Amino acid sequence: MLDIKPDIVFKYFPDLNEKQIAQFSQLFDLYSFWNAQINVISRKDIEELYERHVLHSLGIAKVCNFKAGESVLDVGTGGGFPGIPLAILFPETEFYLVDSIGKKIKVVKEVASALGLENLKADHLRAEQIKEKFNFVVSRAVTRLGEFYPWIQGKFKKDSLNAIPNGILYLKGGDLAEEIKESKLKAELYPLSAYFEEDFFETKYVVYVPQ
């Protein structure tokens, strides 16, 4: 088996404790094992897991530092991105990962269980079925912003605990001007190239939509 290390994560997040270092270090073997059975990551991408999936997910943490007691909904989580890396980084924050494809949620549950993530739950659900309310909704390019917003409208808590108000933190790439205009949402763009120097992040953004 390939020995792929999470050094790129430690480069940008140097203050991790021993438990977090161990959890991030397990991700490659866990995803290699599960991806061979249930394809949740492009096979050609698995060697780039730490840059293109884990660090990309953690780009949200450069924009918003989740607080203890906050709750975060990850919509269309796929194999657990961005939710699993964020749950490792913010153990005092509650994460709820949902996807409409059951076999992907199976992978999420197995990986979370192997990591001992007690602040994460996952369900085979569509976002529209969820009745709970959250501080933040995160997602990674599941659809256009204008189509995504109705799925999670009304799912936000009124009280904000954070430096930024409750809202959506959406990972997306490319030229987003037209998509944001079409959505009629008030959005702020945070280029990930401001935080990460690798070429992969040149056209990647966190789109923040306050509630």
Side-chain angles (χ1 to χ4, degrees), residues 32-84:
S32 293
F33 174 78
W34 283 107
N35 208 54
Q37 300 175 61
I38 300 169
N39 193 19
V40 292
I41 292 168
S42 162
R43 296 265 154 82
K44 66 183 190 319
D45 247 16
I46 194 74
E47 289 179 40
E48 307 294 340
L49 176 82
Y50 284 113
E51 178 181 291
R52 296 185 182 177
H53 298 279
V54 179
L55 191 60
H56 188 211
S57 297
L58 295 175
I60 287 173
K62 294 296 187 183
V63 175
C64 182
N65 194 19
F66 295 125
K67 306 296 183 193
E70 285 188 318
S71 58
V72 178
L73 173 66
D74 178 0
V75 174
T77 189
F81 301 100
I84 284 178

Side-chain angles (χ1 to χ4, degrees), residues 144-157:
R144 292 177 77 80
L145 206 50
E147 294 168 14
F148 180 78
Y149 187 74
W151 300 353
I152 51 85
Q153 202 167 1
K155 290 187 174 30
F156 294 93
K157 293 180 178 178

Side-chain angles (χ1 to χ4, degrees), residues 9 11 13 23 42 58 79-80 83 85 92 108 110 184 199 205:
V9 174
K11 170 181 166 184
F13 294 90
Q23 287 171 324
S42 162
L58 295 175
E92 303 292 314
V108 171
E110 294 288 353
K184 299 184 170 63
D199 291 346
Y205 298 88

Side-chain angles (χ1 to χ4, degrees), residues 71-208:
S71 58
V72 178
L73 173 66
D74 178 0
V75 174
T77 189
F81 301 100
I84 284 178
L86 291 171
I88 295 172
L89 193 64
F90 298 107
E92 303 292 314
T93 302
E94 296 296 321
F95 289 86
Y96 188 21
L97 281 58
V98 299
D99 201 281
S100 61
I101 300 172
K103 62 184 181 180
K104 292 186 175 182
I105 287 297
K106 175 180 169 56
V107 174
V108 171
K109 288 181 173 180
E110 294 288 353
V111 170
S113 174
L115 295 171
L117 284 176
E118 295 175 3
N119 61 328
L120 183 154
K121 65 176 184 172
D123 279 317
H124 174 206
L125 285 174
R126 299 186 69 83
E128 301 95 314
Q129 297 171 270
I130 297 164
K131 300 289 186 275
E132 297 164 56
K133 294 189 186 296
F134 302 86
N135 296 98
F136 291 94
V137 172
V138 299
S139 193
R140 193 163 75 141
V142 292
T143 186
R144 292 177 77 80
L145 206 50
E147 294 168 14
F148 180 78
Y149 187 74
W151 300 353
I152 51 85
Q153 202 167 1
K155 290 187 174 30
F156 294 93
K157 293 180 178 178
K158 286 192 167 57
D159 296 336
S160 282
L161 306 174
N162 213 292
I164 66 171
N166 295 349
I168 301 167
L169 293 156
Y170 201 62
L171 289 163
K172 204 92 202 267
D175 183 356
L176 300 172
E178 184 191 332
E179 183 173 334
I180 289 168
K181 185 179 176 185
E182 168 196 280
S183 75
K184 299 184 170 63
L185 295 169
K186 181 186 166 193
E188 295 174 45
L189 287 180
Y190 292 86
L192 290 181
S193 58
Y195 312 106
F196 306 138
E197 65 185 8
E198 287 73 20
D199 291 346
F200 175 74
F201 298 104
E202 271 183 23
T203 59
K204 303 289 190 294
Y205 298 88
V206 174
V207 183
Y208 168 58

